[in-house]
Amino acid sequence: MQIFGLDIGGSGIKGAPVDLDRGDLAQERFKVLTPHPATPDGVADGVKQVVEHYGWTGPVGLTFPGVVTDGSTIRTAANVDRGWIDTDARALFSERLGGLPVTVVNDADAAGVAEMHFGAGRDRRGTVILLTFGTGIGSALFVDGALVPNTELGHLELHGHDAEKRASSKAREDEDLSWEHWAERVQKYLAHVEMLFSPELFIIGGGVSRKSHKFLPHIEGIKAEIVPARLQNNAGIVGAAMRAAEKDS
């Protein structure tokens, strides 16, 4: 079974048909740059471009980098234009895609759902937290496999700063930090999250997951197991497709 999954990020909009039996992309993903400013109309145009690249005419699952309530309404917009707040994203994208059925979910929640079903969190009980490090820090919290949606732990205050302003992948690039120096910041952030939630497992996702060997060995003193996401930066695409399949069934 194939469903289209699409991941909207602060820097790129990427998607592909997803094979839901294997939990992997059915075709090579296609990506366009996220417009700046990332307004609803501009992002919707990018989404249309990605979907039309494949000539897709079925259900589409989309992630959004912010809080999504009722599978439709956008409540926060930390790394995109604030014009998104209170937008009916499902209606906007469906209209732009010619009436295709659309499902919208928080980006980290989508990645977490995919990792719990197909990846590093499969068959894991207890408290599991997936963290995506990219333009910001996204989070997905699971208790015995059940998702607690829209946690947004990247916005915890850490040493007087919004945590993602200090420990995101973008912060590493903007400040030209070495992997070791950045790992120190990630370690402090993980220690703070661990103090609050006491997870058994941290899954590290986002684009940096494919380079986990460069920073995970430098992270010390965390009691929870820390592993990279197995689906790496495709987890959001897969999870979005999974959610769309659930709505379509």
Side-chain angles (χ1 to χ4, degrees):
M1 179 181 180
Q2 291 187 16
I3 296 283
F4 201 92
L6 194 145
D7 191 14
I8 298 169
S11 60
I13 301 170
K14 54 188 181 292
V18 174
D19 183 330
L20 291 177
D21 294 322
R22 295 186 299 113
D24 199 1
L25 306 190
Q27 299 182 46
E28 185 175 349
R29 74 186 189 190
F30 179 70
K31 178 179 178 179
V32 299
L33 295 179
T34 302
H36 291 284
T39 61
D41 276 343
V43 171
D45 285 343
V47 166
K48 181 180 180 181
Q49 187 177 348
V50 172
V51 174
E52 287 187 343
H53 174 79
Y54 296 90
W56 186 262
T57 57
V60 176
L62 299 107
T63 76
F64 184 82
V67 171
V68 182
T69 57
D70 302 321
S72 180
T73 304
I74 305 303
R75 296 299 186 200
T76 65
N79 294 303
V80 290
D81 189 83
R82 291 189 62 81
W84 276 103
I85 296 175
D86 294 330
T87 292
D88 184 338
R90 181 168 54 202
L92 170 66
F93 291 129
S94 181
E95 182 276 329
R96 197 61 56 92
L97 295 175
L100 296 183
V102 166
T103 303
V104 185
V105 62
N106 171 267
D107 56 350
D109 286 350
V113 165
E115 281 293 324
M116 293 298 288
H117 192 80
F118 292 110
R122 188 170 185 175
D123 298 325
R124 294 294 295 256
R125 309 298 289 174
T127 302
V128 177
I129 297 177
L130 172 132
L131 297 166
T132 59
F133 291 83
T135 304
I137 299 176
S139 62
L141 171 64
F142 295 85
V143 180
D144 291 335
L147 172 68
V148 181
N150 292 313
T151 47
E152 294 289 286
L153 301 182
H155 300 295
L156 290 171
E157 184 177 321
L158 185 62
H159 302 307
H161 299 275
D162 201 31
E164 69 175 24
K165 300 299 183 186
R166 298 275 296 163
S168 67
S169 180
K170 184 176 187 297
R172 182 188 69 82
E173 294 169 358
D174 287 350
E175 300 181 45
D176 196 25
L177 302 176
S178 68
W179 286 104
E180 186 172 1
H181 188 176
W182 182 65
E184 292 177 11
R185 295 189 180 187
V186 174
Q187 177 180 300
K188 291 175 182 177
Y189 171 64
L190 293 179
H192 189 56
V193 175
E194 183 170 64
M195 179 270 294
L196 293 171
F197 295 97
S198 301
E200 282 78 22
L201 174 67
F202 281 117
I203 302 172
I204 305 301
V208 296
S209 58
R210 65 181 181 271
K211 299 178 181 178
S212 60
H213 61 285
K214 294 187 176 184
F215 63 92
L216 284 187
H218 298 295
I219 296 176
E220 301 175 342
I222 305 299
K223 295 181 176 62
E225 182 182 359
I226 309 172
V227 299
R230 283 187 199 160
L231 280 66
Q232 297 185 350
N233 211 20
N234 289 334
I237 296 173
V238 174
M242 291 173 65
R243 281 302 170 93
E246 291 171 9
K247 300 292 185 183
D248 192 51
S249 62

